[in-house]
Amino acid sequence: MAAAAKKKDGIWETVKTVVYALLIAGVFRTLFFQPFWIPSGSMKDTLLIGDFLFVNKMAYGYSRYSCPFAICPFSGRIWGAEPERGDVIVFRHPTQNTDFIKRVVGLPGDSIQMRNGVLYVNGQAATLEPEEPFVEVYDYQGPQRNLPLCSNRPVGLGGECEHERFTETLPGGVEHSVLNAGDGLQNDNTAVFVVPEGQYFVMGDNRDNSSDSRVPRTRGGVGFVPYENIIGRADRIMFSSAGERMVYFWTWRGDRFFRAVE
């Protein structure tokens, strides 16, 4: 009888441990960090399809989507920094129930325009320094099975797909890599956008393969991103899988472990 009671107590202790662990994990995910897997190529080559990262949900204070439950003791911008130009953020699409990841290029009150593929912020052009091309295999990629847009097109399946690559320096000095698939493409030239108060203008680093704030929501784009939709800031890649599934560890990219998102 004593042995049976002891066994029962052991099982109960195991169950309690598992429940506590799940509760702690749930609170940790809700309050501090959220995992995010890159499903598309709109942020190449800063972020590749298959990159796995944690989103810092405390970076800007808690918003509707970074902490949607009543357990959060703070809300809005009571604490935490404002998003800055150059930050890579994860946010809930304003009209679709989907999380997106893009780079902040326009702050409230900024005027934003693309002219011949060059980004202008408040009338000042971002500088572009040519770098070595970004090269990848021309094939169907990620869960969306999209083909990359190459600057050396046409390219046959399995061939080398090249992208013109530049180091872009935003007004204020933030540097990051951007890709270009050619001149005169869609969204290389836009009207002037004035960013409303409490909202942000975001773009993908793969400029010719990103549906972002340059594209209105009526055409499947993002439009301006309200602060309330921001989930957090992407700071560091934990690991990256070049295969179809993250669990295929033999496809993990050895050069992307704990890599900072710049």
Side-chain angles (χ1 to χ4, degrees), residues 135-141 147-148 150 152 155-161:
V135 182
E136 61 182 340
V137 176
Y138 185 73
D139 204 349
Y140 297 98
Q141 299 179 346
L147 289 167
C150 315
N152 62 329
V155 179
L157 282 176
E160 286 193 349
C161 173

Side-chain angles (χ1 to χ4, degrees), residues 155-167:
V155 179
L157 282 176
E160 286 193 349
C161 173
E162 295 184 0
H163 306 263
E164 295 178 352
R165 177 163 49 182
F166 300 87
T167 295

Side-chain angles (χ1 to χ4, degrees), residues 51-150:
D51 283 351
F52 181 84
L53 49 86
F54 281 101
V55 180
N56 182 355
K57 300 177 74 172
M58 301 181 292
Y60 311 122
Y62 289 124
S63 70
R64 174 186 174 189
Y65 288 101
S66 63
C67 188
F69 306 111
I71 63 173
C72 294
F74 305 105
S75 63
R77 305 175 205 189
I78 295 174
W79 67 284
E82 297 279 345
E84 296 181 0
R85 190 178 295 114
D87 285 358
V88 176
I89 64 169
V90 173
F91 58 93
R92 183 64 52 88
H93 190 285
T95 58
Q96 304 173 17
N97 190 28
T98 308
D99 294 342
F100 277 49
I101 186 165
K102 305 289 182 187
R103 188 180 299 275
V104 175
V105 299
L107 305 177
D110 283 348
S111 64
I112 304 294
Q113 186 179 26
M114 292 292 291
R115 303 182 203 164
N116 299 319
V118 178
L119 172 65
Y120 284 76
V121 180
N122 298 323
Q124 179 181 350
T127 61
L128 294 171
E129 182 68 27
E131 303 292 346
E132 290 294 320
F134 174 70
V135 182
E136 61 182 340
V137 176
Y138 185 73
D139 204 349
Y140 297 98
Q141 299 179 346
Q144 300 172 0
R145 307 297 292 163
N146 291 330
L147 289 167
L149 184 61
C150 315

